[in-house]
Structure formats: structure tokens, C-alpha cells
Amino acid sequence: MAVYLDHAATTPMRNEVLAAYVAALAIVGNPSSIHSFGQQAKGMLESARETVAAALGVDPIQVTFTSGGTESINLAIKGLFWSRAPRNRILATRAEHHATIDALEWLERHEGAVIDWIPVDALGRIDLAALEAAMGDDVALVTTLLANNEVGTVQPVAEVVRIAGDVPVHVDAVGALGQVPLPAGLAAVSISAHKLGGPVGVGALALARGSVVTPLIHGGNQQPYRSGTQDVAGAVALATALTLPHPDVAALRDRLVAGVLAAVPDAVLRGDPVDRLSSNAHFTFPGCEGDSLLFLLDAAGISASTGSACQAGVPEASHVLLAMGLDEPTARGALRFTLGHGSTDADVDALLAALPPAVERARAAGLSG
């Protein structure tokens, strides 16, 4: 029995999305062409843009289709930073997704940005007092996750917006859209289709009215903030995914959490135990290497995630857990289970049966160098 518990990495395409995507792929025509084929494609594209805009609470002209969440985040952060010159400070946490952290570090190295890293607490939540203390006239933007993609903690984004005042706030909603409502007052929101049951390679950046970004990609001006022939079928698929309700898996998640803690009593649930993504269950297992657990569970037919980076074959502790104050050996014992459409009680039962022997074997193997 194959069990998929890694929906936060990518969730299978939903049937309704697949049908709309395949139908749109059959339509010929560049939406920039003025003949009837091109205008038919343009009509589909703009209809999709209107649907995405409505879902995100912005005007259609403020929706830029991108190649995915990473591009959307880079366009928002770099574009806002450049458009806000000479302001050169950016406020963010060390618990962000690498798409954010790497973009910020690039701006620091190449564009003279000054990054103020705001601490997070033991649950992964941004320190609002530290954020408020760091605000100033030279702040170009604030960027934060809607909810942490690893440990699932929902961020107090409405409070971040209040503290920021006139400073634009960008939110990475890639892993949380559909589970957490977007508060008012955001300057920019980044999303990705494949986290919502759409295809890989499609995303969007939504800007509030009055927000401006400097483009990353030039050559055609097909969209105000992004050049390049637009992916009509991808836009249709993203729009379709946004019209579907997010699966209600909170009760199943709670059953998984209770079962893991009963099966492995010294496992520790990480992130906020209540105010967290309904799909997320993240644990550390003392004395275990997360990668060992991952491989052992995979051999048993269960797919999960460590939520950590691995470079050149050397396991590394999650930067999120380290930012939360965990020591490296503890952080390296992390495993994340995430649910989505199609997840069942049988999936949880299979995990709970396979997990105790996997933990026992992983502990026997110990931690790598």
C-alpha cells in the first residue's frame, strides 16, 4: 500500500483541475496575437486572471502570472526593494522558506540591502515586539510567511500589517493559501498552483492597488511586471484550483498527531499545537536521524518529508528548527507529515503501524557525523 503524506511538497493534481488544464492545452493561439485564435486564448487567460484576482482580493490588472512560488517571491521581494529605493532595510525571519532567505541574501550581497533578521519564538512565530522595535523610515519592506511551511505555525500577519503601517508587507502564501485567510492591508501575496492541486510551473503574484514592483524579466511587456509569452493553460489550471474548497483534514491531522505521540511517547510535536495549518503534523524524534526515518518509512511505502536541506549528501538540520532554538542533534531528528485531498484513515493507520519499528531502527543507527 502506497501512502502519500507529503502534500506540503506538492499535492496531486485534482480531477477538476486536470480536466480544465487538458482542455486548455488543446487551444491553439498566442494570447498576444490579434487574430481570432490569439484572441480566444487571450479571453481564456483574462478570465483566469479575473478568477485569481477575486480569490486574492485584488484587481485583475494586479495579478502577474509566474512560473511558480519561487519566482513570485523573488519578484515581490526584489521588485519591492528596488521600487522603494533609497530605503534599504528589509525585515524578515530566519524561519522563512529558502526562496525568501536566498533572495534576501542575494540582495544583501549584490544590491546593498540591509537585512534585519527578526527572531521567532519556540513555536516558530515571529516576535512582534522585535518587529516593532526594528521599524523605521529606512525600511523598504517586511516579508513573512502566512504560515510556516515546515512546522505549520500560523503567523500573526494582521498584526504584522498593523505594525508595518505604511511599509509594504509581502506574504509568502504558497503553502498556506486555502487553509489560512489572507488579512487586509497586504502589499503583495505570492502563490503557487501545485500546492493547491494544480500543475507544477505555474504561480502568481498579487499586488494591492498602489503597490509597484520593478520587473525581474524583460522582453515583450506581456504583463506589466513580467515579460514572456503567457501560459494560458497554466493560468486556467491555477484559477480552477482556486475555485475548489480546500479539503478539511483537521480531524484526520489530529488523529495522526495523537497516534504518533501514543506510538512514540518521546516524540515532540513542533509548531503551535493549536494555531497551525490543518494539514500539518511535524515532529522531532530523539536519537533519530530524520533522513534515516524518511528512508525506512519510504521502504514501508510511506512518503513523508524531513523538511530540511541536504547538500552534497550531508544531512543538515532544518534552518527553521534552529531559528526556533533547537540544538542541531534535536533538529536533525525532524519528520513532517502533511495531508491533503485523498488522505484517508487508512493512510494514518499505515503510518502508525510502520513508525515504531522505523524509529527503533533509526535509533539503533544513531546520528550521522
Side-chain angles (χ1 to χ4, degrees):
M1 176 183 177
V3 174
Y4 188 73
L5 297 176
D6 198 18
H7 287 262
T10 192
T11 196
M13 201 178 303
R14 299 180 72 167
N15 291 335
E16 302 92 330
V17 176
L18 181 60
Y21 190 38
V22 170
L25 283 169
I27 303 300
V28 67
N30 186 317
S32 295
S33 299
I34 60 174
H35 51 59
S36 58
F37 287 100
Q39 292 308 294
Q40 180 185 17
K42 183 177 181 181
M44 294 171 60
L45 176 69
E46 296 311 319
S47 177
R49 197 186 309 275
E50 290 173 4
T51 299
V52 173
L56 300 178
V58 298
D59 298 328
I61 190 65
Q62 296 302 118
V63 171
T64 299
F65 289 115
T66 69
S67 63
T70 296
E71 185 190 341
S72 297
I73 290 165
N74 272 260
L75 176 57
I77 291 173
K78 294 174 182 175
L80 284 170
F81 176 77
W82 287 325
S83 71
R84 295 265 295 164
R87 301 170 185 88
N88 69 335
R89 276 203 304 136
I90 304 175
L91 310 185
T93 79
R94 288 278 188 192
E96 303 302 306
H97 190 280
H98 266 298
T100 291
I101 290 176
D102 291 1
L104 293 174
E105 291 179 342
W106 185 90
L107 285 171
E108 186 176 43
R109 288 193 304 270
H110 299 284
E111 299 293 306
V114 176
I115 314 301
D116 279 9
W117 297 107
I118 308 301
V120 297
D121 64 18
L123 300 179
R125 184 174 291 108
I126 188 171
D127 184 331
L128 293 174
L131 176 69
E132 190 160 18
M135 295 302 302
D137 293 340
D138 58 345
V139 175
L141 70 140
V142 178
T143 182
T144 183
L145 285 154
L146 186 58
N148 189 273
N149 59 295
E150 287 195 24
V151 301
T153 297
V154 176
Q155 295 294 345
V157 178
E159 282 299 295
V160 171
V161 171
R162 180 191 64 78
I163 290 168
D166 294 333
V167 174
V169 175
H170 163 252
V171 160
D172 169 3
V174 168
L177 191 67
Q179 300 182 63
V180 181
L182 290 168
L186 296 172
V189 178
S190 298
I191 67 170
S192 182
H194 76 108
K195 308 288 186 164
L196 301 166
V200 173
V202 182
L205 174 65
L207 296 172
R209 188 178 300 169
S211 294
V212 175
V213 296
T214 300
L216 297 176
I217 300 173
H218 303 89
N221 299 317
Q222 285 86 350
Q223 299 182 90
Y225 302 118
R226 185 185 192 268
S227 293
T229 301
Q230 296 179 79
D231 180 359
V232 175
V236 169
L238 172 57
T240 303
L242 282 170
T243 65
L244 302 175
H246 192 276
D248 184 4
V249 292
L252 189 61
R253 186 276 318 273
D254 291 344
R255 180 170 175 263
L256 187 157
V257 169
V260 169
L261 295 176
V264 186
D266 60 351
V268 179
L269 178 69
R270 298 298 175 180
D272 194 294
V274 177
D275 196 11
R276 67 186 301 124
L277 294 175
S278 61
S279 62
N280 178 290
H282 185 287
F283 301 90
T284 54
F285 297 90
C288 294
E289 189 75 67
D291 286 336
S292 297
L293 276 175
L294 181 69
F295 294 136
L296 289 164
L297 288 175
D298 190 52
I302 296 167
S303 298
S305 170
T306 60
S308 64
C310 185
Q311 296 180 351
V314 179
E316 294 183 356
S318 159
H319 70 283
V320 172
L321 296 180
L322 295 178
M324 290 164 55
L326 276 66
D327 59 47
E328 187 166 335
T330 301
R332 280 168 50 187
L335 211 57
R336 181 187 70 180
F337 307 104
T338 48
L339 306 166
H341 69 94
S343 296
T344 65
D345 282 305
D347 293 340
V348 174
D349 291 340
L351 168 65
L352 298 179
L355 185 61
V359 169
E360 184 177 353
R361 290 182 62 187
R363 283 181 176 156
L367 297 174
S368 64

